[in-house]
Amino acid sequence: MKSSLILLAWAALAAAGCSAGTEPEAFGPVPTPAQLRWQRSEMNMFVHFGPNTYSGLEWGSGRESSNLFSPDSLDCAQWAGLAKETGFGGVILTAKHHDGFSLWNNPSSKHSVAYSAWRSGAGDVLAELSAACSEAGVGFGVYLSPWDRNHPYYGSDKYNAAYAEALESVLTGYGPLFEMWFDGACGEGPNGKKQVYDWNLFLGKVREHQPDAVVFSNVGPGCRWVGNEEGRAAETNWNTFTPEAHDASRSSVPGDYEKYLGEGDEGGQYWIPSEVDVSIRPGWFWRASENDKVKSPEELVKIYEESVGRGGVLLLNVPPTVSGRIHPNDVASLKGFRAALDSIYAVNLALGAKVSVSDSRGRNFSGAKIVDGNPDTYWAPCDDCASPWTATLTFEKPVRFSRIVLGEYIPLGQRIAEFRIEALQPDSADAPESWIPVADGTTIGNKRILNLGATVSTTALRLTITRSLAIPLLAELGLY
Ligand code: FUL
């Protein structure tokens, strides 16, 4: 009896054309496991440190004395511990900035800590930071500027081999790297020539020695530049991107790059999500005159909500002082930022709400999956159920919130292109019960935070997805 009932139910679903119970197929490009881990960790810390810390310049000339770099209380454990405590997944250090000075014994240069008076030439910032990161439980990553204003070969063919040797040394000497950062700046060498970089050579080295490192450059392949340095992702933000469609390359981004790097490409060819790099101070390097210009916790929350909250990954620069420690003002701001995030996002009021959806492909993909707090479960409609797709949450008592947080199940690709959210307004003397608009948007991706700017109180909330490139797969809808 029981089995014939199941058969009947199955036949009914099949007749309705429903792909019940089956996992949806991936759509378009998808993240690698390393990209997914990186996207879900949300934030990393950037550390700009080098001769510029001592000269007050943003771009050193490359003619600085090696002895300029002289931290007297280098404390990488403080940087890594602070990153861990305030919620960053990893730390990326400028092993070599445009001035060419290397914070480790670079085998292809004589402009480095090894040729300086600091610790009699025996110091190695990369070694100390990679050890401190593994001790603190955060990832370690490296920025290695291809542009080099010191190297005698820069601007000639011989430079590519020299850079590759430096790269190989950082890729093999300091344990696993979670990210490798290739800056896009490309200036002229002493011969007046701009270097033509051998990207195949460089990327091949990374693949060979650190296949799990997410590779940043203007155009990826692991992640792309967001197109500004103000801490802002675009509201429409596709993880998919086709560099060739814009003539964009690792060392050149012509045209309206803020728009196309920011937005990515709907239906783009590769999975190259955006990374949002910004400094906690006006400059990338520390200088005393900016000690009172450190971004406040409130500014950092805004940056978080406009970067991570628009489906990007935040890379926040926190530069150490001449002593080699992070200044108390930056520490206080970061701790305030963490406390603010913890308080805003302390309780998800949608957890366990009753959810009814326009349709689903069965129990494992029901509407309840968007309110279970688990990013690995998701609501999925049937393959042939067309838009609009709706999910309605109802609550026994009114809930009050100012932020709505959505998340797509990106392991199977990015899909949602347009949605709106409404709240139920109860019957009153002036108006019958009705749905009033609360928010709307385009893409969602890994995370989309809608800061409503005011508190909304309601007993029911309705999400309508009006456009999606394939059936939408929604992992989370949270209310805070
Ligand atoms: C830019 C550089 O020119 C800046 O100095 C800084 O390192 C920033 C992160 O990238 O291209």
mmCIF file of all heavy atoms in Angstrom, residues 46 48 59 97-98 143 181 183 185 229 277 284, ligand 1:
data_model
loop_
_atom_site.group_PDB
_atom_site.id
_atom_site.type_symbol
_atom_site.label_atom_id
_atom_site.label_comp_id
_atom_site.label_asym_id
_atom_site.label_seq_id
_atom_site.Cartn_x
_atom_site.Cartn_y
_atom_site.Cartn_z
ATOM 1 N N PHE A 46 45.597 42.960 4.480
ATOM 2 C CA PHE A 46 46.726 43.331 3.628
ATOM 3 C C PHE A 46 47.735 44.020 4.543
ATOM 4 O O PHE A 46 47.343 44.780 5.441
ATOM 5 C CB PHE A 46 46.209 44.360 2.598
ATOM 6 C CG PHE A 46 46.752 44.225 1.206
ATOM 7 C CD1 PHE A 46 46.260 45.065 0.195
ATOM 8 C CD2 PHE A 46 47.728 43.309 0.872
ATOM 9 C CE1 PHE A 46 46.730 44.973 -1.111
ATOM 10 C CE2 PHE A 46 48.205 43.212 -0.433
ATOM 11 C CZ PHE A 46 47.703 44.049 -1.417
ATOM 12 N N HIS A 48 51.021 46.424 4.059
ATOM 13 C CA HIS A 48 52.027 47.159 3.288
ATOM 14 C C HIS A 48 53.131 47.589 4.250
ATOM 15 O O HIS A 48 52.882 48.316 5.215
ATOM 16 C CB HIS A 48 51.398 48.382 2.604
ATOM 17 C CG HIS A 48 50.744 48.069 1.296
ATOM 18 N ND1 HIS A 48 49.650 47.257 1.197
ATOM 19 C CD2 HIS A 48 51.058 48.444 0.012
ATOM 20 C CE1 HIS A 48 49.296 47.155 -0.092
ATOM 21 N NE2 HIS A 48 50.135 47.860 -0.832
ATOM 22 N N TRP A 59 55.173 55.437 -3.277
ATOM 23 C CA TRP A 59 55.945 54.709 -4.272
ATOM 24 C C TRP A 59 57.407 55.108 -4.123
ATOM 25 O O TRP A 59 57.800 56.194 -4.569
ATOM 26 C CB TRP A 59 55.483 55.069 -5.699
ATOM 27 C CG TRP A 59 54.183 54.456 -6.122
ATOM 28 C CD1 TRP A 59 53.352 53.671 -5.383
ATOM 29 C CD2 TRP A 59 53.561 54.583 -7.420
ATOM 30 N NE1 TRP A 59 52.248 53.295 -6.118
ATOM 31 C CE2 TRP A 59 52.352 53.842 -7.372
ATOM 32 C CE3 TRP A 59 53.898 55.241 -8.591
ATOM 33 C CZ2 TRP A 59 51.497 53.748 -8.463
ATOM 34 C CZ3 TRP A 59 53.042 55.148 -9.680
ATOM 35 C CH2 TRP A 59 51.853 54.404 -9.613
ATOM 36 N N HIS A 97 57.587 45.761 -2.834
ATOM 37 C CA HIS A 97 56.719 46.765 -3.457
ATOM 38 C C HIS A 97 57.453 47.325 -4.675
ATOM 39 O O HIS A 97 58.499 46.792 -5.074
ATOM 40 C CB HIS A 97 56.322 47.846 -2.435
ATOM 41 C CG HIS A 97 55.083 48.591 -2.809
ATOM 42 N ND1 HIS A 97 55.102 49.883 -3.251
ATOM 43 C CD2 HIS A 97 53.778 48.203 -2.849
ATOM 44 C CE1 HIS A 97 53.867 50.272 -3.531
ATOM 45 N NE2 HIS A 97 53.033 49.265 -3.297
ATOM 46 N N HIS A 98 56.908 48.389 -5.276
ATOM 47 C CA HIS A 98 57.492 48.883 -6.532
ATOM 48 C C HIS A 98 58.951 49.338 -6.394
ATOM 49 O O HIS A 98 59.685 49.364 -7.374
ATOM 50 C CB HIS A 98 56.667 50.050 -7.092
ATOM 51 C CG HIS A 98 55.194 49.772 -7.217
ATOM 52 N ND1 HIS A 98 54.684 48.520 -7.483
ATOM 53 C CD2 HIS A 98 54.105 50.600 -7.109
ATOM 54 C CE1 HIS A 98 53.363 48.594 -7.541
ATOM 55 N NE2 HIS A 98 52.982 49.831 -7.307
ATOM 56 N N TYR A 143 52.232 39.367 -1.722
ATOM 57 C CA TYR A 143 52.172 40.378 -2.791
ATOM 58 C C TYR A 143 53.609 40.536 -3.277
ATOM 59 O O TYR A 143 54.516 40.760 -2.467
ATOM 60 C CB TYR A 143 51.652 41.681 -2.179
ATOM 61 C CG TYR A 143 51.834 42.955 -2.979
ATOM 62 C CD1 TYR A 143 50.729 43.674 -3.455
ATOM 63 C CD2 TYR A 143 53.095 43.501 -3.210
ATOM 64 C CE1 TYR A 143 50.887 44.875 -4.147
ATOM 65 C CE2 TYR A 143 53.258 44.695 -3.908
ATOM 66 C CZ TYR A 143 52.150 45.370 -4.377
ATOM 67 O OH TYR A 143 52.308 46.563 -5.054
ATOM 68 N N TRP A 181 49.453 37.578 -4.973
ATOM 69 C CA TRP A 181 48.935 38.884 -5.430
ATOM 70 C C TRP A 181 49.878 39.537 -6.432
ATOM 71 O O TRP A 181 50.994 39.924 -6.077
ATOM 72 C CB TRP A 181 48.797 39.798 -4.217
ATOM 73 C CG TRP A 181 47.550 40.617 -4.166
ATOM 74 C CD1 TRP A 181 46.364 40.245 -3.613
ATOM 75 C CD2 TRP A 181 47.361 41.968 -4.635
ATOM 76 N NE1 TRP A 181 45.450 41.274 -3.714
ATOM 77 C CE2 TRP A 181 46.045 42.350 -4.340
ATOM 78 C CE3 TRP A 181 48.178 42.893 -5.282
ATOM 79 C CZ2 TRP A 181 45.521 43.590 -4.660
ATOM 80 C CZ3 TRP A 181 47.644 44.143 -5.605
ATOM 81 C CH2 TRP A 181 46.339 44.481 -5.291
ATOM 82 N N ASP A 183 50.388 42.726 -8.568
ATOM 83 C CA ASP A 183 49.966 44.109 -8.773
ATOM 84 C C ASP A 183 49.984 44.448 -10.271
ATOM 85 O O ASP A 183 50.867 43.999 -11.005
ATOM 86 C CB ASP A 183 50.935 45.019 -8.014
ATOM 87 C CG ASP A 183 50.384 46.412 -7.841
ATOM 88 O OD1 ASP A 183 50.214 47.109 -8.858
ATOM 89 O OD2 ASP A 183 50.117 46.788 -6.700
ATOM 90 N N ALA A 185 50.425 47.497 -11.609
ATOM 91 C CA ALA A 185 51.224 48.665 -12.009
ATOM 92 C C ALA A 185 52.437 48.229 -12.832
ATOM 93 O O ALA A 185 53.080 47.239 -12.532
ATOM 94 C CB ALA A 185 51.679 49.435 -10.768
ATOM 95 N N GLU A 229 39.772 51.648 -5.222
ATOM 96 C CA GLU A 229 40.481 51.337 -3.965
ATOM 97 C C GLU A 229 39.764 52.000 -2.796
ATOM 98 O O GLU A 229 40.374 52.435 -1.831
ATOM 99 C CB GLU A 229 41.945 51.779 -4.074
ATOM 100 C CG GLU A 229 42.705 50.934 -5.079
ATOM 101 C CD GLU A 229 44.167 51.331 -5.282
ATOM 102 O OE1 GLU A 229 44.524 52.490 -4.988
ATOM 103 O OE2 GLU A 229 44.945 50.472 -5.743
ATOM 104 N N ASP A 277 40.128 45.751 -2.491
ATOM 105 C CA ASP A 277 41.274 46.164 -1.672
ATOM 106 C C ASP A 277 41.145 47.626 -1.293
ATOM 107 O O ASP A 277 40.855 48.490 -2.124
ATOM 108 C CB ASP A 277 42.602 45.872 -2.383
ATOM 109 C CG ASP A 277 42.739 46.618 -3.711
ATOM 110 O OD1 ASP A 277 41.718 46.782 -4.424
ATOM 111 O OD2 ASP A 277 43.856 47.058 -4.031
ATOM 112 N N TRP A 284 48.577 53.579 1.650
ATOM 113 C CA TRP A 284 48.801 52.131 1.808
ATOM 114 C C TRP A 284 49.865 51.851 2.859
ATOM 115 O O TRP A 284 49.847 50.815 3.507
ATOM 116 C CB TRP A 284 49.222 51.510 0.472
ATOM 117 C CG TRP A 284 48.100 51.457 -0.523
ATOM 118 C CD1 TRP A 284 47.922 52.282 -1.586
ATOM 119 C CD2 TRP A 284 46.990 50.545 -0.531
ATOM 120 N NE1 TRP A 284 46.768 51.934 -2.254
ATOM 121 C CE2 TRP A 284 46.177 50.874 -1.638
ATOM 122 C CE3 TRP A 284 46.599 49.473 0.286
ATOM 123 C CZ2 TRP A 284 45.014 50.182 -1.956
ATOM 124 C CZ3 TRP A 284 45.432 48.778 -0.027
ATOM 125 C CH2 TRP A 284 44.653 49.130 -1.128
HETATM 126 C C1 FUL B 1 48.590 49.523 -6.377
HETATM 127 C C2 FUL B 1 49.943 50.023 -5.925
HETATM 128 O O1 FUL B 1 50.487 50.968 -6.841
HETATM 129 C C3 FUL B 1 49.762 50.628 -4.552
HETATM 130 O O2 FUL B 1 50.945 51.181 -4.051
HETATM 131 C C4 FUL B 1 49.236 49.539 -3.619
HETATM 132 O O3 FUL B 1 50.226 48.550 -3.437
HETATM 133 C C5 FUL B 1 47.947 48.926 -4.188
HETATM 134 C C6 FUL B 1 47.441 47.772 -3.381
HETATM 135 O O4 FUL B 1 48.146 48.502 -5.514
HETATM 136 O O5 FUL B 1 48.615 49.110 -7.679
#
